[in-house]
Every structure is written in C-alpha cells, then in structure tokens.
C-alpha cells in the first residue's frame, strides 16, 4: 500500500519553508512507498519531491469571526486531485517526532480518524491538525458547508467540531499518546514554564502547534513577538503594555528554547 500524505497551503503565512520541512520530516519518519502532495496556490521555492497540485476549487465566502480553518473544506470534495483512497492530512506547522506508519494501519481504510483535542477535555471532539479520511467520504460535509458557510461556522465555530459531529459513519480518534499539543501537553504550567524546557512525552509521534505558537517560536524561546527573550527580559516586561491582556496571561506566555523541536523541524 502506498501511504498518501497531504497538506494544504494558501496565501503567504506559511509557504515553502514549512512545506519543505514537513516533507523532510515525513520522509525521515515513514516506510516507503509514500507520496507527499501539497494542494497550493504557489509552487515557488517548493522542493521537487513534493507533488504540488492546485487548490481544489470551491466557491464560498470565508466565514468571519471564527477561529476554525475553514479553507480545509476544499479537501472534502468528491475528487482530490489525482488521489484516491485514504489520505493522511498534516498541518504545515506541526513537528514529527516518531514513525508515521501506524497512522495508515490504525482502523479501517474507510474510516475517518482524527487526532484528539486536549483543549476540549470534556467534549469528544477531534483535531484536524492530523486526520485521515478516504477521498470523497466527506463530500456531504462540503455540500452542507457550501450551502451556508457563515451559518455552519457560527454553529460549530471550529471546523474540527463540524467534522467530528457530522462525518458520515462517525469518527474514530487516534491513540492519545501519538499526537501531542505543544502548548497544552509539552509546555509546563506556570511557574514551571519559567524554568523548565518543554518536554516531549513518551510515545509521541507528532506535536501540533494550534493557537499561534509555531515551531520557530519554540526553537527560539520567549513567545510570539518576543522571540529569543530570556527569563530576565521576560520578567522586566511585566510592567509594560503588552498584547497578552492580563499580567497573569503574560507570565504564562513564556517558554525556554526547545532543542528537540529544533532537531526535528529541519530539512
């Protein structure tokens, strides 16, 4: 069986440095044969091993005031480029720290399987930073979304909640240990975050970075907009105006430079 990995890129937020690093991490952590397809609006700077295909065309107005990544709805089409069968979707800003082979053998080939969402511990909702689905299985979700994009976004807020609640036949979740959320499961809680480097839990295969913190921030330490700040500089900034809101929130928004992210997130 050929393992099919896909990602999606639009605009300029991520681009080739994220695409190329993701490909390299996949190649180091998978048993061939495999394919790596990026659905993108620009191929500039993308390494030749990546199969770049045009973004699937769908006609919709992006929902406003929602945090979910609704452009992923492009992937729910009846056809997905030249691909058929199960595909494993990976967000561009994640870090691969273990072998990916089991993501393709877990469950059945017709299953929709999501990673777990630790941000919603009291709600069984998946996380679409890492999820596997058969091409065409989610076309009913796309049809419902296109009929009223803003209404669907207002009701579900996050597209992963929409997928979890409405995927035909329901969804399964990958084992908890396989996918870890960097901020929730790798960073230490305050005040330990001030002194201890973020950890990599045993058995982790993928670390996801929802919420604005990217691998580059973890590598440099500090926080978003304060990259490379040491603890002293962080504490001195407590009395200044900042965009974090409360001082409590500001204090929690700090991490030490994380070498294991640097070692993994590379070409």
């Amino acid at each position: 069986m050929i393992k099919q990995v896909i990602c999606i890129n639009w605009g300029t937020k991520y681009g080739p440095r994220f695409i190329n690093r993701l490909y390299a991490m996949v190649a180091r952590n998978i048993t061939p044969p495999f394919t790596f397809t990026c659905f993108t609006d620009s191929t500039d700077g993308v390494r030749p091993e990546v199969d770049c295909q045009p973004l699937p065309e769908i006609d919709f107005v992006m929902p406003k005031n929602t945090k979910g990544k609704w452009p992923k709805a492009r992937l729910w089409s009846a056809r997905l480029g030249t691909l058929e069968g199960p595909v494993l979707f990976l967000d561009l800003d994640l870090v691969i720290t273990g072998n990916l082979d089991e993501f393709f053998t877990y469950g059945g080939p017709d299953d929709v399987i999501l990673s777990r969402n630790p941000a919603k511990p009291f709600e069984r909702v998946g996380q679409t930073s890492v999820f596997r689905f058969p091409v065409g299985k989610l076309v009913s979700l796309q049809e419902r979304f296109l009929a009223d994009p803003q209404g669907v976004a207002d009701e579900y807020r996050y597209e992963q909640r929409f997928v979890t609640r409405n995927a035909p036949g329901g969804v399964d979740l990958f084992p908890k240990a396989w996918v870890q959320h960097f901020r929730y499961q790798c960073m230490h809680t305050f005040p330990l975050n001030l002194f201890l480097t973020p950890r990599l839990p045993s058995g982790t295969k993928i670390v996801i970075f929802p919420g604005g913190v990217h691998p580059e921030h973890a590598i440099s330490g500090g926080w978003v907009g304060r990259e490379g700040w040491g603890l002293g500089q962080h504490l001195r900034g407590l009395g200044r105006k900042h965009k974090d809101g409360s001082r409590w929130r500001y204090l929690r928004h700090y991490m030490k430079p994380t070498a294991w992210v640097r070692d993994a997130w590379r070409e």
Side-chain angles (χ1 to χ4, degrees), residues 1 60 81 83 125 147 216:
M1 178 187 73
F60 76 104
L83 304 179
V125 60
E216 291 170 311

Side-chain angles (χ1 to χ4, degrees), residues 122-140:
F122 301 109
E123 179 185 3
R124 188 180 184 274
V125 60
Q127 180 80 34
T128 55
S129 295
V130 180
F131 82 113
R132 200 187 80 211
F133 63 98
V135 173
K137 179 75 178 279
L138 302 180
V139 66
S140 62

Side-chain angles (χ1 to χ4, degrees), residues 37-264:
T37 302
C38 183
F39 295 96
T40 180
D41 55 5
S42 174
T43 63
D44 292 346
V46 179
R47 57 191 295 170
E49 299 95 331
V50 176
D51 173 28
C52 289
Q53 298 196 29
L55 286 172
E57 293 186 8
I58 58 174
D59 185 17
F60 76 104
V61 177
M62 179 68 67
K64 299 178 181 178
N65 301 318
T66 180
K67 294 184 177 181
K69 301 295 189 295
W70 293 97
K72 290 182 184 178
R74 295 176 179 272
L75 303 175
W76 306 340
S77 301
R79 298 181 61 84
L80 193 54
T82 60
L83 304 179
E84 296 180 350
V87 294
L88 179 68
F89 173 84
L90 302 177
D91 267 351
L92 286 174
D93 59 351
L94 55 73
V95 170
I96 299 173
T97 59
N99 187 272
L100 299 176
D101 292 350
E102 289 184 295
F103 284 98
F104 296 91
T105 58
Y106 186 83
D110 197 45
D111 292 344
V112 178
I113 311 177
L114 285 67
S115 50
R116 297 169 186 264
N117 192 332
K120 307 291 181 184
F122 301 109
E123 179 185 3
R124 188 180 184 274
V125 60
Q127 180 80 34
T128 55
S129 295
V130 180
F131 82 113
R132 200 187 80 211
F133 63 98
V135 173
K137 179 75 178 279
L138 302 180
V139 66
S140 62
L141 272 64
Q142 188 181 78
E143 291 170 349
R144 179 175 171 184
F145 172 70
L146 292 180
D148 185 11
Q150 189 62 55
V152 169
D154 289 344
E155 179 178 356
Y156 292 94
R157 193 178 184 196
Y158 295 97
E159 48 82 30
Q160 54 256 37
R161 180 180 286 125
F162 179 59
V163 174
T164 304
R165 297 284 177 264
N166 298 283
V171 304
D172 195 0
L173 301 176
F174 287 120
K176 183 178 180 180
W178 290 7
V179 182
Q180 300 289 309
H181 188 301
F182 182 78
R183 287 188 300 117
Y184 284 99
Q185 296 170 298
C186 299
M187 284 187 60
H188 297 274
T189 57
F190 178 82
L192 295 179
N193 65 303
L194 302 179
F195 308 103
L196 299 179
T197 300
R199 60 189 178 273
L200 179 63
S202 176
T204 304
K205 298 174 182 290
I206 295 175
V207 179
I208 59 175
F209 285 77
V213 175
H214 293 159
E216 291 170 311
H217 303 132
I219 292 168
S220 62
W223 200 253
V224 183
R226 302 192 295 274
E227 293 87 348
W229 282 28
L231 179 57
Q233 190 174 6
H234 176 65
L235 295 176
R236 287 194 297 273
L238 185 59
R240 304 173 188 165
K241 274 192 165 184
H242 47 74
K243 62 182 180 180
D244 297 76
S246 69
R247 291 186 176 185
W248 168 247
R249 185 177 174 85
Y250 173 85
L251 279 173
R252 290 189 292 116
H253 283 182
Y254 177 80
M255 56 192 163
K256 294 178 69 65
T258 309
W260 58 261
V261 174
R262 179 200 63 212
D263 293 341

